[in-house]
Amino acid sequence: MTLTRRTLIGAAGTLPLACWAEAGRTETLMSELPFAATAPVSVARVGLRARDAEGLAAYYRAIVGLEELARDGETITLGAAGRPLLAIESDKAAKPDDPRSAGLFHTAFLLPSRADLGRWINHAIAEKIKVEGASDHLVSEALYLTDPEGNGIEIYVDRPREDWAWKGSQVAMATERMDVPGVVGSVPAGDAGWQGAPQNTVIGHVHLRVGDPREAEAWWNREFGFDTVAKYGAQAVFLSSGGYHHHIGANTWQSAGAGHRDNGRTGLAWVEMRATDADGEVSREDPWGTVIRTVPGKPV
């Protein structure tokens, strides 16, 4: 089977979430830092280049629930509970992103608990937010959407890591229909509902468009010591640190054979990784010119 964005997210077009959001079981609310952020190397922040930075920031505030944390010249920094997650850099002269080029497939915002995802679904229903897919990936449950400038977004929650199925060094992942009633039913009765991205929301992973997954795999193995934890044929590879299901995905579903990126376009500006053993800040470029920064320190 040829995998595409459509098969990955498990649906096409706007999903009638309200039709699926029936009563389900409840779940105890947890608010711990997700396992993804505790790995030796994890995703800290993502930078986006935007033609309309104000409009894009407004979207991430209203839809994803991020809060504005700072402004520095033409850059707006957004995050959750004081943790910076997204930097939007204004470039009014930029050309629109080309989805066939190397760049961003999606930024994946990881919520601390299943109930948080249920709260977001109720928010999406109430606000009539266009959702492109709702999937059960065995290791996680995820919703997909696209921002006004074409950047992919995933909003997800991990299943308990003791429930992940490993065969040697490879983790089992799939794309199945999400149990939306079950997710919504995890929200406790009488709950206050979605109040924006909760404390301990992080960027769990970043999925990249690349020209060749094998070349991407070799680069992340070499430069970050990432383990290869899954492959979808020759079209996609998933890599991680510390036994996570993936911090980085790289695929050619739209971008096979893509060359060096055009930095005059909107979309991904950079990805920032946090490494516990880094001595200082380092900036690298992957084989397609995507800037990957590294900063030292532990997640806070």
Side-chain angles (χ1 to χ4, degrees), residues 42-251:
S42 61
V43 183
R45 298 188 300 157
V46 167
L48 298 179
R49 184 178 299 110
R51 299 177 75 178
D52 180 7
E54 292 288 351
L56 203 59
Y59 177 89
Y60 280 90
R61 289 195 302 267
I63 305 302
V64 182
L66 302 184
E67 59 182 347
E68 183 174 321
L69 300 179
R71 289 186 180 232
D72 182 7
E74 296 294 307
T75 299
I76 303 169
T77 298
L78 305 173
R83 176 183 285 110
L85 298 175
L86 188 68
I88 301 177
E89 303 174 354
S90 177
D91 185 351
K92 295 180 174 63
K95 297 173 288 186
D97 185 34
D98 179 359
R100 297 166 299 178
S101 68
L104 182 68
F105 191 67
H106 62 237
T107 302
F109 296 94
L110 174 57
L111 302 179
S113 77
R114 198 175 192 227
D116 290 318
L117 189 62
R119 293 182 183 95
W120 189 87
I121 290 174
N122 286 333
H123 163 67
I125 292 169
E127 299 300 322
K128 298 180 172 59
I129 295 169
K130 182 178 180 180
V131 175
E132 296 173 351
S135 296
D136 181 339
H137 294 306
L138 305 183
V139 294
S140 63
E141 294 171 291
L143 293 144
Y144 296 88
L145 50 161
T146 302
D147 77 20
E149 296 204 4
N151 302 295
I153 299 170
E154 178 178 340
I155 299 174
Y156 78 113
V157 63
D158 278 333
R159 283 207 164 87
R161 55 185 167 133
E162 57 267 24
D163 294 342
W164 303 349
W166 291 85
K167 186 175 182 180
S169 63
Q170 302 296 288
V171 66
M173 293 193 289
T175 299
E176 300 176 353
R177 182 168 174 163
M178 180 196 285
D179 175 15
V180 175
V183 177
V184 170
S186 69
V187 180
D191 186 81
W194 180 253
Q195 303 294 313
Q199 184 178 14
N200 291 330
T201 296
V202 299
I203 296 178
H205 67 268
V206 175
H207 202 143
L208 301 171
R209 305 186 312 247
V210 299
D212 181 352
R214 293 169 299 180
E215 192 173 359
E217 177 185 12
W219 190 86
W220 284 94
N221 290 162
R222 180 181 69 251
E223 297 295 329
F224 284 88
F226 273 15
D227 299 314
T228 301
V229 293
K231 292 183 179 182
Y232 285 1
Q235 297 178 317
V237 63
F238 298 87
L239 307 114
S240 77
S241 169
Y244 189 51
H245 57 71
H246 70 293
H247 288 102
I248 293 293
N251 76 68

